[in-house]
Each structure stands twice: as C-alpha cells, then as structure tokens.
Amino acid sequence: MAADGGSSSLQLPCVFSPKSRQYLALCAQDGRLRIWNTDSKTLHQEYVPSAHLSATCTCIAWGPGRTAKEGPQRKKRKSEAVQVEEKADLLAMGTAAGNVLIYSTAKGALHCTLDGGHSGGVNCVQWHPEDSLLYSGSDDTNIVEWDLQAGKMRSKWKADRAAVTSLCVSPDGKLLLSAGQIIKMWDLDSKEVYRKFTGHSTAVTTLRFATTRPPDSNGLYFLSGAAHDRLLSVWQVREDGKDKNSVVSFTLTDGPQHIDLIASNSKEEAVRMAVVCRDGQLHLFEHFLNGPCKKPLSPSCTVQMSDTKESPMPVPLLAAALGADARTVLLAYGNHLQPVMERAEINTAERHVCLTRDVQTSLSLSMETTVSKVKTPIVNAKSRVLVPGLPGHQAPVKGTSVGSEKRKKDTDTKEMSIAERLGEIDLSTASMEKGAPKGTASLQTDNFAVLLVQGLESSDANILNKVFQTRKEMVIKKTVARLPLPAVLPLVEELTKRLQGHPFMAVLMVRWLKAVLLHHTSYLASLPDLVTQLGVLYHMIESRVKMFRKLTKLHGKLYLLITQVATSDSSNTVPDVEHTAKLVYEEESSDEDEASGDEGLPDEDSDHWEEEAEAMEETVGGDEEEQADEDDEDSDSTKASKANGEEEDMEHENESEEE
C-alpha cells in the first residue's frame, strides 16, 4: 500500500502512519507538530520547530514502517526498531522556508535537518519505499533527492516551469510522478522524463499509484486530484504511449483534502479508496481498473458527521484510513488542535450515512487523559503572540489574574465564543475612536478576518452582518488582504446575494467587492469554472449598468433645466433701486433767495394762494410757464436736488408773481 499523504494540500497537513495506523500526525494553526495515538486517543508527542512562526510546516510524510530485519539500512536506530516489531518512526516535514525536517518518534526529538536544496517553500515530500531516500518538490520548480544516511542532497533537477506541487514514488521504487503545470513520470535511474500527462487546469495536490503492476504490461494506473477540482482522474500508462487522456473519473463534492488508497495487485482485485473532501465529507470508492470508463463514477458510500444539538451542525472530517475489513474505517474529525479519533463501522450498503457525535464530550474526555510535557508560560498582558496562518496575525494574550484563574476552572478548555469575539470588536472600535494605539487597528482587522472566515463557513448571518457593517475603507482592505484563498469565492458569493437586496446594502457591499477584486484578481482568474460561479454577479451588474447612460442623460437635461429656472428666479427677485438721495448738500443762497425762502415758507395764506392761482390759470398760463422755466434754471443754479425744496421755490415764485 502506498505511503500515506506525500502530496501538498492547501489544508493543514494531517496524515496517519502507514500499515498499523497507530499514530496520527498533524500540524495545526500554531505551527506545532502533534502526534496522537489512535488506540488510546491521547496526545503521544508534541514538537515545536525552532522557526515554527516564520517557517510553517506545509507537508508531512511518514517514512515506510520497517521491521527489525531491515534495521541495518538505518544502523543508527536498530536498537529502537527492536522495541516494536513494525513501528513508524521517521517523519518528514517540509517547511515554507525551503528546509526539510526529519523527526524521530522513537527519540521524541529532531533526527536531522535537510537544508540548502531549495530556494522556495517545500510543497511536497515523498519517501522511497526501499532505499533510505527522500524526494521533495518546491516552489523553485526543482525536485531534490536526499540521502538520509549521509544527511545531504544526492541530486537535484528542474521538473517544470511552474512550482512542483505534488510527488509520488511507484511501489517498486523505479518511477517518480511529479506535478506542476503538467504531470510528468520520471525514470529515477536516469532522471529523465518517461511520460507526460495533461488534463488539470489548477495545481495538482494529489498523486497516488493505484496499481502495483509494471508499466510495460498496460496495467499501471495512477490517480490525480487538483485544487477546486471535483473529479479525481485515473490515468493508464500504456505501452504504445497513447495515454493522453484520463481513463476513469471519480466524482467528489469538493476538492480532495486527504486520500487513503489500497492499491490493486491484479486485474481481479479492486482498488479501494477513501477520499475526504474540503467540505468535510468522506467518499468511499471501489472499482476494478481495466481500461477506460466513459461516465464519471459516483462514490459507493458517502459519510457525513454532525453534532447532537437540536439544530445539528456538520462536524468536518479531517482524515480517514481504510481497515482490512471493507466496513471498518478509522476516522479523525473535529479541529486540528484537538482531533477526535474513532474506528467506525460503516454500513456500505447505504449510499449516504450520517454519523452523529457529541464532539464536546469527546474533547473533554481526551483532554483529561492527555499527558503532555509542555508547560504553558505565564504571559504578561503587554505581550503579543504571533500566530501563523493569516499573514501578520496577532492573537490577544491576557495575563493571568485571580478572577481569570477561577474562570479557567469553570470553563476548562472552552474556546472564546462568537458573542465574546463580537464584543471585543465593539470595544476595539470604541477605543479606536477615542484615539487608541495603532496595535488595536491591526487587532481589529485580524478579528474581522477570522470572524469573516467563521461566518462564511457556518453561514451565520449575525457574524456576517457585524463584519459587513463597517464603513472604514482601510479596515475593509486589510480584512480582505488577510483572507485565506479558499474563503475568497464564498465571500464573493455572499456579496452577490447581498448586492441583490436593498440599494443601501448594495452601497456597502460594493466596497467589499472592490477590495476583493483589487487583492484577489489573480487567484479568481486562475479558477477553471469562474464564468459559472461569477455569472450571477456579472449579469446583475450588467442589468444595473444598462440604465446608467440613460440616467446620466436625464441627469444632464434636468441639471440644465434647474439652472435656467434658478437664474430666471434670481433675475425676478432683484430689489428696486431706491431713488431717494441719501445725502443733500445746499449752497448758501443770496439775500433775495433767503427773503424769498422766508416768504415761501408755508403759512396760513398758502391755501388761499392756491385758490387764486387756479382762478388765474387761464389768463396768465403762458406767462407762468415761461416764468417757471426761468425759475427752474435758477433752482438748478442753487443745486437743490430735493423735491420739497423745488416745491418751496415754486411756491415762493408764484407768491411773488401774485404780489
């Protein structure tokens, strides 16, 4: 049977030990390697790499379990191999820094470090089934062959134009499969390409040999799985070289996360396979590989897990291993920090099986029985702990106090609830407004990123509403930038749903969508079924933009009308000019003018004068007009501009005429 899990995965690495399946090795979000005993369901060992924060573990592969007879191949651990007849010992870990760490479970310590071979992060490690050799593939597009006895690099060659994402050695140790942009089969003796296979549009994450037959018999088959690809492809290595397309396909509900396979030794023996998908479901397959099959094959049985609450929530499966019996499956489920292991009897006669488990009870029991040598240090309240996974992620660490110790006893090992996290975000927002330090801003964006991922995974509307309500552009950009790639597509789908709602909500959602497109365009463009997944969003934007030109034209016309109406109104409301003089200046007049002025003052005879003047109007009309013109000239010479003054002058002149 092929060694478990040498392939790279976007998920956290989680691998059962070969043959006996006694141990489960996994690396969690904190960068530590934990090895669990599947029989006692307790933590067996825990190892913290020195650079676990800067160089997280990207892939794990168990070395092939050997009996004591094969001890001389590794003389150093002959005495250790005697203790257990067939015990998995060495474990290879590839890191993001480009090193390969070899950990010994027998010693409980690091066996050796293989470095200097890669300039990029290691994506996959794979052991040779017989010789003490190890193969690693990296982002630098190279494959390195390591000699473990010497503890150094044996050979190195360029495998592809793109990063090498997966490796697999054939059961006889003569061929090596590698995957970058295309799948290549190498002859390990000459290090030359034996065959090439093309068919995946995304990064290949899984390569496994399905049969143990030699390649010249047309009976050698292998399977491949890629990220975001819901099909596992099976390829036949033919003698005539006409093996361009896959011969069989297995349908999945999501991309493959963990595969356990029992290879076929002859045509009469079926290949048995257990595939855990990224959505947490387990699919069991059984198929006789004998030439091509046109239709994709559905799983013979699908297993899901849920908790025992009133409204059951799904419990994700992490890994599965097939037992000798067709019905027995070893399951690991829950979270990576505290997985639950169980040997379950599956009724394979049913197409769909749902197992209900009380995860909290199982967790508390296994934690009580756990024996760990790791001591938790007392951390000062001002300290910050860096956690790998999200780039630049900072986890709040609180110093222990008397009250918190009591709480610890009460709550035991419970994690912080969603409500508490939301409360912390409210507090951090308030402190930001009052002028809190810059560290609070990064903490807030980290909380937003973690909450957003949790809300998308659990489809919790309350969490999503809380996150989406933010209006700060910087917070939105940083939150989207910190999102892990698998969460990008669910975020876009959620934004699409919300954009179809109320226009007020659409304004907020457009900001998030803009940030996603700015940060993750290259990732979205690499998805094979992007058109179907973003079709709804595209059509919705098209329908809304269709009216935009007409609306802008209407806006322009209305703007012209409004400005014209406003100008006409303003012209009508111009105030009348006041014709009365603000200031009157009179020169000093001559003695005659003064006398006439005195005579011209209104007195008791003035009314009588007006009656006489009316009576005399007909006889002396012409003389009056001439006299009035002359008097007007006189009044101009005196520069009196007031109407009252002119009337007084005229009264005076009429009186003088009368006299």
Side-chain angles (χ1 to χ4, degrees), residues 501-636:
H502 195 276
F504 176 73
M505 180 61 75
V507 172
L508 295 174
M509 293 307 106
V510 166
R511 295 181 182 180
W512 285 89
L513 189 62
K514 180 184 175 184
V516 171
L517 295 177
L518 280 173
H519 283 91
H520 299 293
T521 305
S522 55
Y523 166 70
L524 290 170
S526 67
L527 298 178
D529 48 355
L530 180 68
V531 177
T532 54
Q533 287 174 335
L534 299 187
V536 177
L537 178 63
Y538 179 76
H539 288 304
M540 185 183 62
I541 293 173
E542 278 288 305
S543 62
R544 292 198 177 184
V545 171
K546 198 181 288 180
M547 299 298 293
F548 185 68
R549 288 184 64 188
K550 294 178 182 178
L551 287 171
T552 47
K553 284 183 180 178
L554 180 62
H555 177 266
K557 290 175 181 177
L558 286 173
Y559 181 73
L560 284 172
L561 279 171
I562 290 165
T563 48
Q564 285 178 359
V565 169
T567 49
S568 62
D569 287 349
S570 61
S571 62
N572 290 339
T573 55
V574 172
D576 293 333
V577 180
E578 195 176 342
H579 294 291
T580 57
K582 297 288 182 188
L583 179 66
V584 176
Y585 174 72
E586 291 184 7
E587 282 186 354
E588 291 181 1
S589 56
S590 60
D591 297 337
E592 289 180 4
D593 288 337
E594 284 175 8
S596 63
D598 293 337
E599 289 170 16
L601 289 170
D603 55 3
E604 293 173 0
D605 299 331
S606 62
D607 294 330
H608 177 66
W609 167 77
E610 283 175 6
E611 288 171 9
E612 286 180 353
E614 285 171 7
M616 291 175 67
E617 216 171 82
E618 293 175 4
T619 56
V620 289
D623 296 329
E624 271 178 15
E625 286 175 6
E626 289 172 11
Q627 191 66 31
D629 291 337
E630 289 169 12
D631 293 337
D632 284 339
E633 287 172 11
D634 293 337
S635 67
D636 286 340

Side-chain angles (χ1 to χ4, degrees), residues 299-342:
S300 59
C301 182
T302 298
V303 181
Q304 285 179 289
M305 299 202 75
S306 67
D307 55 23
T308 54
K309 295 178 183 175
E310 289 181 9
S311 54
M313 294 292 291
V315 176
L317 281 155
L318 305 176
L322 294 164
D325 179 19
R327 296 166 63 91
T328 308
V329 180
L330 177 60
L331 302 174
Y333 55 89
N335 61 32
H336 284 78
L337 290 167
Q338 182 66 45
V340 181
M341 288 143 289
E342 177 189 347

